[in-house]
Amino acid sequence: MGKKILIIFIFLFSLFTTNAFASLTYKQSKDISDDTDHLRGIFIKPDGTRIYVTEDTDSTQSVIEYSLTTPFDVSTATNKKKTTLLIDEGGVLSVIDNPHAIEFNSDGTEMYVIRSDSGTRVSIEQFTLSTPWDSSTLSWTTYKDIKTGCFTSVQARGLDFKPDGTRVFVASQGNKKVAHYDLTTPWDISTATNQTCSAFAETNVRNIQLSSDGKILYLGGNTDDDIKKYSLSTPYDVTTITLQSTTFSIASQTGEMRGFQFSSNFTKLYVTGDDGSSSGDNVIYEYDISCAGTITCSDPSSDSDVKALIEANVELSKRIIKHNTLPVFHRIEWLRRHKNKDNLSNLNAEIDFTNEKISKLASGLKSLKKESKRNYNSDEWFEWSEGRVSLGKRKAINSSSKDIHSYGISIGADKIKEKDRDTMYGYVFQYGNDNIDIGGSGTKLYTDSYSLALYGTKLKDDHFFTDGIIGVSLLDIDHKRDIYGNTLKGNREGHQIFGSINFGKRLHDKKINLNPAIKLDLGYTKLKTFREKTILGNSLADALLFKEQNIKSALATIGLLLDKTDKQEERIINHHGRLEYIADLSPSSNAEFYYLNSTSTVYEYKVDNKAKHNYRIGYGIDLTSISGWSVVANFERFRANGKGHSNEIYLSFGYVPIDAMKFALDLNNSESLKTGLNINKNINGFDIEVNSNYNLISKTPDYKTSFEAKKIF
């Protein structure tokens, strides 16, 4: 037996506009001429450990099963099993005529073979395997006669199923048609109904196969010994078929293609071939595919999910800056809302006259009505924390849409400067998590961020204020991209430096306070190089490598904060709202990437600033107790003009260590002008109370003093 000279040939395609063409690469072959002289159809088990072929010889029509000691490596095929294909014809088991294409259901318990004897019945024959994937245990079950409608007086050759078994596809030789049937019972070929067909361009078809998403149909024939690519505008609907210009020739390996099949993850192609003679070679050919699911690699910069992933990274860098600065500003704003005219401290003590006559008399003594200061201990740090939850959506223009789920927590402490009571500084540690769902194919972005920032605020002339923040962040980003049944993953690290400065003025009013301000946020983010990885098929498939990327951020904000305070005996309630316009001044960011199997062509995607005009509105309420505890709740809506929005909820807790002393001087509302002095103080957990009463004009001395100290355990 003469041997063919196998030529290793890499098909390179030219670059056209935005499309770069990679190729299938012939890798190796397995000559099985000693096992059969008439190869036909081929099927490879999804995990790559077994391969099945049909044969049509003068003596037998069988299925031959091989085990692959190395998955997907056809050269390691051993342990041959040959089983004769017997079918029921009128109650009598007989050998099948002209078996061709072969398929299995998803769990390997059912096998299907095209019977293509135009003289009797053209059919799909179904066999049950008592041991999954073991063809030696098969027995005939049922069949579907397809020699009707589209396939009258023709021979069938191609066979494939929808992944869920609810639709079967058949291609014929002669009249050049492909049809699909609906299965009312999944994987039961006898329930196939609703034949629908369409025409194609191949005269001598040898098999068909659809991509996992049903949008591409591959059809192979031996007229030119090539595989043609068709697109389906409606997935799994052959009536929407359109021939593409992409073809792949295997004529360098065989002049008589008999069958073909892609691996389940579309990273490998297997072809059966012979020369049609009884003594000819019968060979299984193996090819590597540079890009999964297609003969040619498309330009990844035109892929909507790839573009959306790159955009999501750029948007993420800005969102992390926002989520790291807003909690700090919420804290600073709270301090300003709860200050008196003298410093950043809060109200605590006052002198109050309840006697109407004395009150009128004292109204002219402004010094007696002056509000005293809450005495902060400048030697202590004031602790606070804030949690956030954010839900948002970004609209797609040239990329896939994005659903955003984010949460985070901030833990900080600050201190008022001892010699300058209008100056405060502090630090904050923040953790954030962002989950982004991209498109509808399973592409996702998961991010953990860890940040440390220093901040401070300075009040001048009781009206003007300056706030500042500077910080750093570490980013841990997980990418997940699904394409043609492959799951491509990659981990990317990054770091960020950010800063913000805020200038404003506080306008006091008896009922409401106004805080107009302008703010500038700046950031620089560096994302490290990372590569996508897949373990399917021992192939890199569509995996990309993304180069290092630098992202610069600049946002200018002009806004107005309003607040109204309701002071009660034991607490202070404050309502506040905001309205801001945010101009995104960030420059564009370029991302460069290439296929791992084709490093010579570098692609680029430029992320322009698509949301230059943004708005933020918000409403919040805070509750501050006389003991120093505070609770703040904020709802804020951030909207990018025409590009999407996010809704955010912030919940903050804080505590201020104060000197918890309260003085009250009362002149009771009576003609006796009785006066009293009450002093309450907490010392080391003990509540100490001193009371003194004295009647200013009583004929009989009327005075009393009491002292009480108590502690609740």
Side-chain angles (χ1 to χ4, degrees), residues 170-408:
V170 184
S172 72
Q173 173 179 301
N175 68 349
K176 300 186 290 185
K177 289 184 178 180
V178 59
H180 70 243
Y181 299 81
D182 294 322
L183 277 63
T184 56
T185 300
W187 302 110
D188 185 350
I189 199 66
S190 66
T191 67
T193 59
N194 300 325
Q195 183 191 60
T196 304
C197 59
S198 186
F200 55 78
E202 176 63 48
T203 301
N204 295 312
V205 64
R206 286 297 179 258
N207 199 20
I208 58 171
Q209 188 171 350
L210 284 86
S211 62
S212 57
D213 60 3
K215 296 179 180 180
I216 301 173
L217 184 146
Y218 298 99
L219 187 147
N222 64 5
T223 300
D224 298 314
D225 289 304
D226 62 8
I227 298 174
K228 293 181 174 64
K229 177 183 176 183
Y230 294 79
S231 62
L232 281 67
S233 57
T234 301
Y236 303 106
D237 185 352
V238 298
T239 64
T240 65
I241 190 172
T242 302
L243 177 64
Q244 303 295 300
S245 60
T246 302
T247 62
F248 175 68
S249 174
I250 60 168
S252 296
Q253 281 73 52
T254 179
E256 190 72 21
M257 182 190 2
R258 291 297 184 182
F260 78 89
Q261 194 194 36
F262 293 95
S263 62
S264 60
N265 55 30
F266 281 83
T267 62
K268 293 279 191 178
L269 172 67
Y270 302 89
V271 176
T272 55
D274 68 34
D275 61 5
S277 68
S278 60
S279 61
D281 293 336
N282 290 268
V283 181
I284 303 173
Y285 301 94
E286 177 186 335
Y287 301 82
D288 286 332
I289 305 176
S290 298
C291 302
T294 181
I295 294 173
T296 60
C297 295
S298 61
D299 183 352
S301 65
S302 62
D303 184 276
S304 58
D305 280 6
V306 172
K307 292 192 292 184
L309 273 173
I310 297 172
E311 292 171 357
N313 277 285
V314 175
E315 295 164 3
L316 175 69
S317 67
K318 301 177 185 178
R319 190 162 56 252
I320 289 176
I321 294 175
K322 181 183 71 171
H323 288 162
N324 284 339
T325 56
L326 285 185
V328 176
F329 285 121
H330 290 161
R331 170 64 174 176
I332 295 174
E333 290 164 0
W334 179 89
L335 289 170
R336 272 198 293 270
R337 286 195 295 269
H338 296 271
K339 69 172 290 295
N340 64 16
K341 298 179 179 181
D342 298 315
N343 56 35
L344 286 168
S345 62
N346 292 336
L347 304 177
N348 184 39
E350 64 181 36
I351 299 174
D352 184 30
F353 297 96
T354 59
N355 183 282
E356 184 177 353
K357 296 179 180 180
I358 301 299
S359 180
K360 291 180 179 180
L361 178 64
S363 62
L365 304 177
K366 295 183 179 181
S367 60
L368 292 179
K369 296 288 291 181
K370 183 178 179 180
E371 298 173 338
S372 300
K373 305 172 185 178
R374 174 176 287 180
N375 296 318
Y376 288 99
N377 187 343
S378 298
D379 295 330
E380 295 188 36
W381 288 87
F382 310 163
E383 297 86 6
W384 63 276
S385 64
E386 181 168 281
R388 110 180 117 78
V389 177
S390 176
L391 301 174
K393 188 175 184 68
R394 298 285 287 187
K395 296 181 180 180
I397 298 181
N398 298 315
S399 63
S400 301
S401 60
K402 310 174 201 63
D403 291 313
I404 305 167
H405 310 270
S406 177
Y407 63 88

Side-chain angles (χ1 to χ4, degrees), residues 508-525:
H508 301 277
D509 189 85
K510 293 182 179 180
K511 296 183 178 181
I512 193 168
N513 297 308
L514 305 178
N515 296 263
I518 57 174
K519 179 163 64 78
L520 180 64
D521 297 314
L522 299 174
Y524 176 77
T525 306

Side-chain angles (χ1 to χ4, degrees), residues 530-700:
F530 86 102
R531 53 160 292 177
E532 297 175 323
K533 299 179 180 179
T534 179
I535 59 173
L536 297 177
N538 295 319
S539 172
L540 298 174
D542 258 317
L544 298 171
L545 183 143
F546 292 81
K547 292 186 174 183
E548 184 179 273
Q549 184 178 359
N550 300 318
I551 304 169
K552 299 177 182 178
S553 307
L555 295 95
T557 302
I558 181 170
L560 181 67
L561 179 65
L562 305 89
D563 65 88
K564 181 178 183 297
T565 301
D566 177 20
K567 298 175 185 174
Q568 301 179 5
E569 184 177 354
E570 297 294 332
R571 66 187 65 87
I572 299 174
I573 300 176
N574 189 285
H575 303 269
H576 45 91
R578 71 174 69 248
L579 176 63
E580 295 177 343
Y581 165 75
I582 306 165
D584 193 338
L585 309 176
S586 307
S588 59
S589 177
N590 292 344
E592 295 183 339
F593 43 97
Y594 54 82
Y595 286 109
L596 288 170
N597 278 2
S598 182
T599 61
S600 59
T601 303
V602 178
Y603 305 91
E604 181 178 334
Y605 180 61
K606 183 178 181 181
V607 182
D608 293 318
N609 187 3
K610 296 181 174 64
K612 297 181 180 180
H613 306 287
N614 308 271
Y615 309 91
R616 184 160 66 111
I617 60 174
Y619 169 78
I621 185 171
D622 37 277
L623 176 65
T624 306
S625 70
I626 200 69
S627 62
W629 287 99
S630 64
V631 179
V632 185
N634 284 285
F635 171 80
E636 297 177 0
R637 183 178 179 91
F638 184 91
R639 185 166 188 84
N641 190 26
K643 305 298 187 299
H645 69 274
S646 64
N647 295 320
E648 301 174 350
I649 297 175
Y650 297 84
L651 185 62
S652 176
F653 298 92
Y655 176 71
V656 179
I658 63 174
D659 182 3
M661 182 176 288
K662 180 180 179 182
F663 299 91
L665 177 63
D666 296 326
L667 292 176
N668 297 323
N669 191 18
S670 68
E671 297 298 326
S672 65
L673 295 181
K674 181 179 179 181
T675 185
L677 176 65
N678 300 316
I679 300 176
N680 299 282
K681 185 175 179 64
N682 183 282
I683 301 177
N684 295 328
F686 287 90
D687 293 322
I688 300 176
E689 182 176 351
V690 180
N691 298 292
S692 178
N693 299 301
Y694 191 79
N695 194 321
L696 296 177
I697 59 176
S698 174
K699 295 180 179 180
T700 304

Side-chain angles (χ1 to χ4, degrees), residues 111-152:
M111 185 181 80
Y112 310 85
V113 176
I114 283 284
R115 180 189 183 184
S116 190
D117 185 359
S118 61
T120 53
R121 75 185 190 204
V122 180
S123 58
I124 305 172
E125 305 289 336
Q126 182 173 342
F127 302 83
T128 297
L129 283 67
S130 58
T131 301
W133 302 110
D134 186 350
S135 60
S136 66
T137 67
L138 64 83
S139 60
W140 182 87
T141 305
T142 187
Y143 78 102
K144 173 65 180 180
D145 191 343
I146 58 174
K147 195 179 177 181
T148 58
C150 299
F151 300 135
T152 303

Side-chain angles (χ1 to χ4, degrees), residues 171 460 606 708:
K460 185 178 181 180
K606 183 178 181 181
E708 183 180 358

